[in-house]
Amino acid sequence: MNPPARVTLKPGRDGPVRGGNPWIFSGAIARVEPAVVEPGELVEVVDADANLRGLGYYNPATTIAVRLLAWNEAPPIEELIERRLRAAIELRRSIVGSGTNAYRLVNGDGDGLSGLVVDRYGDVLVMQVLTAGMERMRSLVIDALSTLQAPQAIFERSQGAVRKEEGLADRVGPIAGDLPGEIIATENGINLAIDVQRGQKTGYFLDQRDNRMRLAALAPGARVLDAYCYAGGFTLAALRSGASHVVAIDTSAKALDWAQHNLELNGWSGRADLIRADAARFLGETDQRFDLIVMDPPPFARSRGDASRAEHLYVELNAHAMRALAPGGHLMTFSCSVHFHGPDFIRALRMAQTKAARPLRLLAHLGAGADHPVLLGHVEGEYLSGALLRDLG
């Protein structure tokens, strides 16, 4: 599987590659040799002076034409995949604490395996293969995961917009082993029922684990609102820490049923009010005041063209939340929109503060957990933006 092709970059266009960005856009490419390269084929990348810049895979049909897997080297792909997986596994061993067996094992570009996501729920691995290049390496990945992790089962959730753009059909189903009747995983000592076949993403929102732990530290004795609660992750964290009362809201009856099941698994049935409602409407109409509000809505900007509309929605939603805070209360709020994050999101929060006429303090910038690493040179990988705010009182 040695790379049969070469991609040569235009003069002066190798800066992002040298800076560690794994994405090479078609406009940076001077030529491809041979002229015809199949989607997903491995390629060596060289600069205009023929210096080797790395190894990746090429897709002529996408704007991101090359996704790098290695920099300044071009090792055999079998060796590289095993090396990357071993490093990813070792990283999680060092950062995932006791009482947790639900975490991201491989985070695509952040682990040097662009196009691959692997999540672990107890003894079950859930794999997402998102690109044509990673599709060609699929069997190598499965073999390596089976050897290095010996899971009870591997389940595949390869689906979505990225695969469609890459010219790939969705693939969902078991790969190896036998799924248990119900998957029960643990996060920070909390039991979670995981639906790997029908749940969001690979079955759960693992990226918020560290933020749920941060919320737990603020929850003792607090009146808590968990807006967009999904399976109740923040609700469970608040209850475990001794919140006095929790209101959890979602528009999905299925999500609320799932949250109720998770409450029952932990012996906390009846300790939270589960309400089917639109969070923005609830916040705009309620006369309740909360000591701690967390909001993790679905993405409001799914493309660059949605940014203006997203800003308006984030301003309105967060203004409602700020008004619903008790004096001195905390607001933990997020945007998971890759096209509206970082400074854009903070600007929207400042506009919301003005609209709500509530002075707040910014205590921390928040993001995905450490098991969702991002390459320092790949700002595009920073999709989750959040802030912890506190009312001045």
Side-chain angles (χ1 to χ4, degrees):
M1 296 185 66
N2 291 325
R6 170 174 287 196
V7 168
T8 301
L9 302 178
K10 294 177 179 177
R13 299 299 295 271
D14 61 329
V17 173
R18 289 186 290 107
N21 195 316
W23 293 359
I24 299 174
F25 293 89
S26 56
I29 295 174
R31 63 184 179 276
V32 180
E33 301 166 299
V36 177
V37 176
E38 292 297 317
E41 280 194 37
L42 287 171
V43 293
E44 289 182 347
V45 176
V46 300
D47 63 19
D49 296 321
N51 299 306
L52 178 66
R53 291 302 177 193
L55 173 74
Y57 55 81
Y58 177 71
N59 192 336
T62 57
T63 303
I64 305 171
V66 178
R67 294 173 183 260
L68 286 176
L69 303 170
W71 285 257
N72 304 314
E73 61 170 338
I77 192 61
E78 300 91 341
E79 294 178 12
L80 182 61
I81 287 175
E82 182 175 354
R83 187 209 312 173
R84 292 280 188 251
L85 288 176
R86 285 186 182 277
I89 292 166
E90 183 57 35
L91 173 64
R92 275 65 181 184
R93 285 175 180 159
S94 68
I95 62 175
V96 176
S98 60
T100 295
N101 63 12
Y103 53 87
R104 176 144 296 180
L105 187 66
V106 179
N107 194 47
D109 293 291
D111 284 300
L113 289 168
S114 189
L116 177 67
V117 170
V118 182
D119 287 339
R120 178 162 204 137
Y121 300 106
D123 292 327
V124 175
L125 301 182
V126 183
M127 183 174 80
Q128 288 184 318
V129 175
L130 300 174
T131 58
M134 194 53 63
E135 184 77 14
R136 285 173 172 257
M137 304 172 212
R138 179 174 174 272
S139 62
L140 293 175
V141 171
I142 294 169
D143 290 345
L145 285 173
S146 299
T147 299
L148 296 173
Q149 291 283 279
Q152 177 182 346
I154 303 177
F155 191 84
E156 186 165 13
R157 283 285 299 270
S158 298
Q159 58 191 150
V162 174
R163 275 184 72 91
K164 185 176 181 180
E165 293 169 3
E166 292 275 332
L168 302 173
D170 289 348
R171 185 193 291 113
V172 177
I175 295 174
D178 297 312
L179 285 177
E182 183 176 38
I183 299 171
I184 305 297
T186 58
E187 176 185 275
N188 301 323
I190 296 170
N191 294 322
L192 300 168
I194 306 297
D195 187 348
V196 301
Q197 300 186 59
R198 292 173 293 274
Q200 295 290 325
K201 293 192 174 182
T202 64
Y204 196 62
F205 292 111
L206 293 171
D207 52 359
Q208 290 284 20
R209 186 183 67 257
D210 289 356
N211 293 319
R212 286 189 281 265
M213 188 158 48
R214 184 187 288 264
L215 175 133
L218 302 172
R223 297 162 294 174
V224 179
L225 174 65
D226 181 3
Y228 308 95
C229 70
Y230 188 50
F234 283 104
T235 293
L236 295 164
L239 289 173
R240 189 172 192 266
S241 275
S244 65
H245 184 68
V246 179
V247 175
I249 298 173
D250 205 285
T251 58
S252 167
K254 178 182 174 182
L256 293 173
D257 287 343
W258 191 359
Q260 177 61 36
H261 183 45
N262 281 329
L263 288 170
E264 293 167 355
L265 281 175
N266 291 277
W268 299 333
S269 184
R271 290 186 56 189
D273 293 336
L274 304 181
I275 300 173
R276 188 178 183 186
D278 175 77
R281 178 172 295 180
F282 176 90
L283 284 164
E285 296 175 353
T286 186
D287 58 0
Q288 297 184 65
R289 293 296 176 262
F290 299 94
D291 304 304
L292 178 55
I293 297 174
V294 57
M295 296 195 302
D296 184 22
F300 291 159
R302 297 185 181 275
S303 67
R304 295 184 189 278
D306 293 335
S308 178
R309 174 179 174 273
E311 180 178 75
H312 171 74
L313 291 173
Y314 283 120
V315 170
E316 292 297 317
L317 177 62
N318 283 280
H320 284 316
M322 292 170 184
R323 294 189 191 102
L325 280 176
H330 291 87
L331 171 61
M332 185 178 284
T333 181
F334 297 93
S335 165
C336 61
S337 302
V338 69
H339 300 291
F340 193 88
H341 71 292
D344 293 333
F345 183 58
I346 297 299
R347 184 180 66 250
L349 295 180
R350 292 189 172 118
M351 294 167 66
Q353 173 187 249
T354 301
K355 193 175 184 70
R358 292 286 296 271
L360 290 105
R361 289 171 285 179
L362 174 62
L363 302 186
H365 293 271
L366 306 175
D371 57 339
H372 289 62
V374 176
L375 291 172
L376 187 59
H378 187 219
V379 67
E380 297 90 343
E382 299 175 16
Y383 70 94
L384 182 65
S385 296
L388 176 60
L389 308 174
R390 183 170 185 177
D391 176 67
L392 187 59

